[in-house]
Structures are given as C-alpha cells and as structure tokens.
Amino acid sequence: MNNNVKVYLSEQRDRQLEELTEFLKIPSVSSLSEHTKDVESCANWISNSLSEAGMQNVKVMPTKRHPVVYGEWLGAEGKPTVLIYGHYDVQPVDPLHLWETPPFEPMIRDEKIYARGASDDKGQVFMHIKAIEAIMKTTDSLPVNVKFLIEGEEEIGSPNLPDFIEEHKEMLAADVLLISDTALYAKGEPAICYALRGLAGVQIDVKGPKRDLHSGAFGGGVPNPAKQLVDLIASFHDDNFQIRVEGFYDKVRALTEEEREAYRALQFDEEKVKKDLELSELVGEEGYTFLERVSGRPTLEINGIYGGFQGEGIKTVIPAEAHAKITCRLVPNQDPDEIIQLIEKHIQKNKPAGVEVTVTPFDKGHPFITPFDHPAIQAAAKSYEEEYGVPTKFIREGGSIPIVAVFDQILKTPVVLMGFGLESENIHSPNEHFHLENFDKGLAVICDYLFRLSDSL
C-alpha cells in the first residue's frame, strides 16, 4: 500500500471522526415511520459523502420503502471490480433510560465512540468511504474498480433489496462482494467469516375447547392444549439432542476435516462459556464441539411457549389454546422452505388427539458459504495480518444475514465478510459503541486490501 495513504489517514483522523459524529447524529431508524424523513436524510448524507470521496454516478435510488445509495468508480481498466455493501439504517434505541449518553448524540470516551449505529453498521460503512477517499486524494485513482450499494432496510430484513438486486444485476456485477458488518474473533484477533447459517421460523398454535375451562370440573376429561403442545415440542428432539424431524438432515453439508481442524486451531474455551453463563454444563448434538454446534450444525430451537394463566399465583384452568415459536438455524444445502414443509409434516404426523394445530411460517433466509481458500479471502486475510500482526482466523458465524445469501444466489459473486466490530460493543442494545483502535486499523486494512486485491484476481 502507498505510504502516502497511511499518512493521509493519520493527518485526517480528527476530521474523519467529526464527520462520523455527524453521520451518527442522524436517527435513521428504518422500522419506525416517524423516522422516514431521517432515513431519507441519511441516504442523502451518504450520497454526498461518496461524491466527496471521488465516486462517480452517485445516486439515491428509491425502493418501495427506504432508498438505496449507489456510486461507482470504474477507471481501473483490466482490474477486478469490488462491490461494497453496507447499511445506513439502525435499530430503535429502546430502552432509552439505559443509555448513559443520548443515542444520537455521539460521545467519545475511553477511545470508543458511543452512539446507535456506531458499530452496526454506520461506523464500518463510513470506514470504506474514507478508505476510498484516502486513496483517491493521494493517488488520483483506485487500484481496482469500486461500486457501492448501501441500503436503508437491513434492520427490518431488507424486504425490498432482493428485487432491487434482481432488477439491477448488470449495474451491480462485480468480481468480489465486500461487506463489513461482522466482528473480529476477539480484541486484536481478526477473523474472516466464510459461512453464515440460514433461518426458518414458524409459530405453532394449538387450540382445544372453545374457552378456558375449570380444571376441577373438566380436568382429566378433555384435551389440554398446553400439555398437547408440550408433547408435540418434545417430539422434535431425542435424548441426544438429535432433531427427529424426518428428512431434516438429508441435505446437510457435513463439516470437512479441514474445517474441523480450523475450529480446533481456535482453541476455544468452553469452560469460560459455562462460567460466563453460570451453567453447570453445555449440551448439544453428540460428536461435535460447542463451536461446531453453534455455527456449523443445524438447529431447531424453542424461542417461546405461552398459553393459559400467566399471572401471580395459580388460576385453576385448562387453557383454550397454547402457542410456541420456533426457529431453525440452517447450514449449507438446506432450504428454508423445504425445512418448514418438513416441520409441518412432522407436526401433522405427531398431532395430539382432540386439538387443532396450525403452523404459520415467519422469517426465512438461506445459508451461505464461500470456500475460504478463494484468492479474494486469502488476500483479505493477509491484509488483516499486515495491520494486526497476528494470523487471521477463519470462522463460521452462527447467526444469519439473509441478504448475503441473496447476493450469492443472484450475482454469483464471492463474498468477503471483513468485519471490524467486537461482540462486546452492544449492537442492538443500549450504549452501542465502536472501538477507535479498530476504526484506525480497519481503515488501513481496507486500503491495503484494495491494493492487494488488484493483483490477486
């Protein structure tokens, strides 16, 4: 990387943090209608920032709800094209009283910047814009072609982005998709996430008698929806935590020995997890470590059960209905629609007597995986190592970012998840913050990566 770029970043740090503060002040909460104008204002702020950084053909493009911002610089003839994706919308701030400082009045203390969106994802998006600016201001060009796609609906599930991507495939065509919306493995330990689990969620509703019944007058003689639901839920797993839904594992892509060796190399401390969570033991699918279970294997989890009397004391009723919410985390080759169908089939097969059972699908998202020996990922690992001075870890993420799989399916582009956050930064919670150490190092990593990528593909 050109040394002038590093000098520029150092000299411009105070100005950059002032601009980041300005960016974070905009309450771009995508889920609340009262912030619609703020979301639009934030899109315009991004547009202006991209233009000032040297991007061309910058435009705010409408969707059915919140706009996306696009910009490009295509002057590197014969070089790869990088599509940089991120989001400028943020989560609601509730509960407000738990914030130590107002969520949209950014405050720097202890070399961390506190504000809603500081880590997820405004801070990380801003770094990419400033990295481009630094290279453009010092070299008058870029080592690769660059496109930006920054959306305003990620925190509500990106409902309109799949159609936008499909409609603008040619405009968004690229050799690499670069995303910074994940975290380091730990403080000072960079990691590249090469796989995300998918998601399939359902609600189960069990209905019995037409009203709550007195348990003394009817107990033992009528179906109890709460008991029937518990029996149904118990049928999902065996005693070894294997999922008993027929066909659930049929298309699971097994962990390779290379992947399992990468897990072992992390030297993950399971005892610390037990201590932190105040648990006597960890449980799960036999034959797999904790890390493998929570990131590389599929799951079926009960997220909530409710029905009948919930207040203080006891009310002797047989509830008229009971409900459960379930989500499955899926691994490569599993299809969320197919999994939901298998769950519905299992429920019908195991339906208790005397009650009506309905299943309502909710959130869905495909799993994603990119081979971590891909040149674009290996180049990213070297850029991390150049700045952090330690080997880059390769990890699977247990959570889901459904839009990543959409990009993969529509654009057929390798995805590099190059995050700079930390799990401790309270994203989605009060007192969200971003460590400025990773802001500084991340800028250098991104710049180095763009230069390195020029010769890697």
Side-chain angles (χ1 to χ4, degrees), residues 124-298:
Q124 300 198 57
V125 166
F126 182 79
M127 289 163 58
H128 284 279
I129 299 173
K130 294 297 111 176
I132 293 297
E133 176 193 283
I135 299 173
M136 288 293 289
K137 297 295 185 184
T138 54
T139 68
D140 293 324
S141 64
L142 296 175
V144 292
N145 300 295
V146 172
K147 299 176 180 179
F148 275 91
L149 178 66
I150 306 175
E151 69 155 319
E153 296 184 347
E154 195 274 346
E155 298 292 7
I156 55 173
S158 303
N160 294 300
L161 197 59
D163 287 344
F164 182 91
I165 297 170
E166 186 68 48
E167 292 167 8
H168 298 88
K169 282 192 295 187
E170 291 187 15
M171 182 183 79
L172 299 174
D175 299 293
V176 177
L177 174 61
L178 178 59
I179 301 175
S180 293
D181 196 11
T182 51
L184 304 176
Y185 180 68
K187 181 178 172 60
E189 298 184 56
I192 291 176
C193 174
Y194 68 92
L196 297 162
R197 291 197 288 189
L199 182 67
V202 301
Q203 177 168 314
I204 302 172
D205 300 302
V206 177
K207 295 185 178 181
K210 67 178 182 179
R211 65 177 185 276
D212 288 358
L213 301 175
H214 190 293
S215 64
F218 292 93
V222 298
N224 184 320
K227 191 269 182 188
Q228 308 288 60
L229 176 62
V230 170
D231 288 346
L232 186 57
I233 287 173
S235 74
F236 284 126
H237 297 86
D238 65 18
D239 292 340
N240 295 317
F241 299 95
Q242 283 269 327
I243 297 166
R244 297 176 60 197
V245 175
E246 187 175 348
F248 188 88
Y249 293 105
D250 285 359
K251 295 184 179 179
V252 168
R253 172 174 163 170
L255 291 168
T256 66
E257 184 54 37
E258 184 181 17
E259 288 176 310
R260 302 195 78 174
E261 179 57 39
Y263 277 114
R264 288 190 286 270
L266 295 175
Q267 298 182 334
F268 185 79
D269 188 353
E270 294 191 6
E271 290 300 317
K272 185 176 184 301
V273 175
K274 288 195 292 186
K275 182 178 179 181
D276 289 347
L277 299 180
E278 299 182 5
L279 292 171
S280 60
E281 61 181 312
L282 302 175
V283 301
E285 190 180 5
E286 283 190 337
Y288 297 94
T289 66
F290 174 81
L291 270 188
E292 290 171 338
R293 292 169 183 163
V294 301
S295 63
R297 293 293 294 170

Side-chain angles (χ1 to χ4, degrees), residues 304-317:
I305 304 175
Y306 55 101
F309 180 65
Q310 305 291 313
E312 184 178 357
I314 294 177
K315 183 181 181 182
T316 54
V317 297

